[in-house]
């Protein structure tokens, strides 16, 4: 079972993954509404529809690389919360598009905003996962990461459910000859993501730097540094007796001992370099683990996000 500090950490990071999925997939419900308002006779032009759906995915690639590098260079505390601010700003600007704009102007506005939204979403992926991983002990890390990633499914599901409820609220007006009320409905759907975003923003901004990261930076700037000693198991003790659980948020110590004499928590004595990275993965045993992980994620993302990337097939003919 997770401790209360671990639960709070999972909720804090999980809201980010919830918002990421909600913001990425809500455009699929919003697109037909935009066609109803700004293109009442022919619907959204296919190219524009594909662009506004792909905009956030384009930004995600930029955000994942950019925020990931910044998080390693300046620390998780320096970066965490900034990506959520970008998401909030992009969402507010998106729903603030003037209603008197022409259809093409509205779609261009939304496309640009969703690129910046995607940058924020892309930044949240590595940061939320890393913040949890840095604070989790080795026997709870997988469980906690599973919990926060599961929020992606809940975010997508909630977007569809909220769409049904919102359109039900406008049903009477739409039947009575007020089709332009759909313009209000899509803004409500997009803007609802601001509620959990503002709810967790402060907690992200004040989240302290993890002790593990601080010790790692100290070891890079000074000399070899080690975390406090792991608990050494007594001779003949069972596996369950070899583990001393620590609070994942309050303590930097990773104390499980998998085998006699094997300790966790030693910080690298020097900073890693690209040359060492290439040398390490030039060995097939190491490379196949990396390729296996990458391919797994790649195939999952095709299935999970493929609904938003029809643009590729459209432009290929």
């Amino acid at each position: 079972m997770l401790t209360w500090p671990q639960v709070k950490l999972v909720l804090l990071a999980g809201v980010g993954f919830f918002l990421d999925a909600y913001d990425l997939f809500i455009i699929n419900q919003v697109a037909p509404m935009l066609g109803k308002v700004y293109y009442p006779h022919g619907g959204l032009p296919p190219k524009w529809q594909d662009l506004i759906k792909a905009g956030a995915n384009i930004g995600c690639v930029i955000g994942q690389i950019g925020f990931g590098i910044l998080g390693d260079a300046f620390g998780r505390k320096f970066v965490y919360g900034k990506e959520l601010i970008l998401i909030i700003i992009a969402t507010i600007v998106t729903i603030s598009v003037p209603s008197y704009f022409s259809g093409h102007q509205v779609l261009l506005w939304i496309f640009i905003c969703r690129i910046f939204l995607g940058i924020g979403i892309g930044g949240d992926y590595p940061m939320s996962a890393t913040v949890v991983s840095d604070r989790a002990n080795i026997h709870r890390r997988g469980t906690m990461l599973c919990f926060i990633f599961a929020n992606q499914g809940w975010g997508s599901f909630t977007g569809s459910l909220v769409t049904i409820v919102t359109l039900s609220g406008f049903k009477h007006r739409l039947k009575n000859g007020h089709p332009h009320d759909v313009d209000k409905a899509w803004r409500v759907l997009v803007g609802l993501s601001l509620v959990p975003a503002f709810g967790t923003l402060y907690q992200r901004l004040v989240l302290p730097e993890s002790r593990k990261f601080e010790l790692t930076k100290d070891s890079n700037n000074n000399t070899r540094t080690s975390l406090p000693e792991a608990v050494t198991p007594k001779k003949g003790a069972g596996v369950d007796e070899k583990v001393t659980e620590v609070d994942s948020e309050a303590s930097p110590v990773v104390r499980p001992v998998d085998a006699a004499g094997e300790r966790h928590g030693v910080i690298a004595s020097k900073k890693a370099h690209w040359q060492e990275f290439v040398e390490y993965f030039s060995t097939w045993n190491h490379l196949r683990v990396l390729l296996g992980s990458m391919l797994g994620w790649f195939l999952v993302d095709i299935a999970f996000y493929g609904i938003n990337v029809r643009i590729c097939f459209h432009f290929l003919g």
Side-chain angles (χ1 to χ4, degrees):
M1 295 295 292
L2 298 181
T3 64
W4 175 237
Q6 290 172 336
V7 171
K8 290 193 296 182
L9 184 61
V10 167
L11 291 176
L12 181 63
V15 168
F17 277 77
F18 177 91
L19 285 175
D20 296 344
Y22 182 95
D23 286 331
L24 280 175
F25 291 103
I26 198 64
I27 192 64
N28 296 303
Q29 288 91 314
V30 167
M33 301 181 193
L34 294 173
K36 181 72 173 179
V37 176
Y38 297 101
Y39 299 89
H41 303 295
L44 286 181
K47 289 186 177 180
W48 277 109
Q49 182 174 181
D50 291 337
L51 282 173
I52 62 173
K53 289 183 177 181
N57 291 324
I58 295 171
C60 276
V61 177
I62 301 172
Q64 287 174 352
I65 297 174
F67 279 94
I69 293 174
L70 290 174
D72 284 342
F74 299 103
R76 287 67 159 120
K77 176 177 173 56
F78 177 82
V79 177
Y80 203 48
K82 309 300 189 300
E83 82 290 344
L84 187 57
I85 292 175
L86 182 57
I87 292 174
I88 290 173
I89 293 175
T91 301
I92 293 175
V93 176
T94 298
I95 62 178
S96 299
V97 57
S99 57
Y100 57 79
F101 273 11
S102 66
H104 280 44
Q105 289 175 321
V106 170
L107 296 181
L108 178 61
W109 180 295
I110 293 176
F111 170 65
I112 295 174
C113 288
R114 284 190 63 80
I115 290 178
F116 286 97
L117 177 72
I119 294 174
I121 292 173
D124 187 73
Y125 276 124
M127 292 312 304
S128 288
T130 303
V131 162
V132 172
S133 182
D134 282 350
R135 290 167 168 77
N137 63 58
I138 197 171
H139 281 268
R140 292 290 181 268
R141 186 178 301 152
T143 302
M144 294 173 71
L145 289 175
C146 284
F147 278 135
I148 65 170
F149 274 94
N151 283 280
Q152 287 184 300
W154 287 112
S156 179
F157 171 76
T158 302
S160 300
L161 185 63
V162 168
T163 300
I164 295 174
V165 174
T166 302
L167 290 179
S168 298
F170 286 95
K171 183 178 180 180
H172 181 72
R173 293 274 299 172
L174 295 176
K175 284 187 174 181
N176 290 336
H178 298 87
H180 283 283
D181 279 5
V182 177
D183 189 51
K184 301 176 184 177
W186 79 260
R187 295 173 194 264
V188 170
L189 290 175
V190 175
L192 281 174
S193 64
L194 294 172
V195 176
F198 277 115
T200 57
L201 178 59
Y202 175 77
Q203 293 298 325
R204 289 192 177 206
L205 293 176
V206 300
L207 187 70
E209 190 66 86
S210 69
R211 289 278 296 157
K212 293 175 189 175
F213 182 81
E214 290 178 346
L215 290 172
T216 302
K217 297 299 288 185
D218 289 341
S219 69
N220 291 333
N221 295 331
N222 302 304
T223 58
R224 181 182 178 86
T225 305
S226 295
L227 288 172
E229 289 293 325
V231 175
T232 304
K234 297 180 180 179
K235 189 175 181 178
V239 174
D240 293 337
E241 296 176 17
K242 296 179 184 178
V243 179
T244 298
E245 295 289 352
V246 294
D247 182 78
S248 62
E249 185 176 27
S251 173
V253 186
V254 181
R255 292 186 175 178
V257 182
D258 294 332
E262 181 180 350
R263 299 165 185 260
H264 296 270
V266 178
I267 301 299
S269 59
K270 64 176 181 177
K271 190 175 182 179
H273 296 282
W274 281 107
Q275 182 180 358
E276 295 172 339
F277 174 86
V278 173
E279 291 177 356
Y280 182 81
F281 286 109
S282 62
T283 304
W284 172 242
N285 287 338
H286 300 151
L287 180 61
R288 67 180 181 179
V289 175
L290 178 63
L291 292 177
S293 301
M294 292 171 57
L295 182 61
W297 275 108
F298 179 77
L299 295 176
V300 167
D301 286 344
I302 288 178
F304 196 69
Y305 301 108
I307 193 171
N308 284 344
V309 294
R310 194 188 67 167
I311 183 173
C312 301
F313 302 100
H314 179 81
F315 282 104
L316 288 176

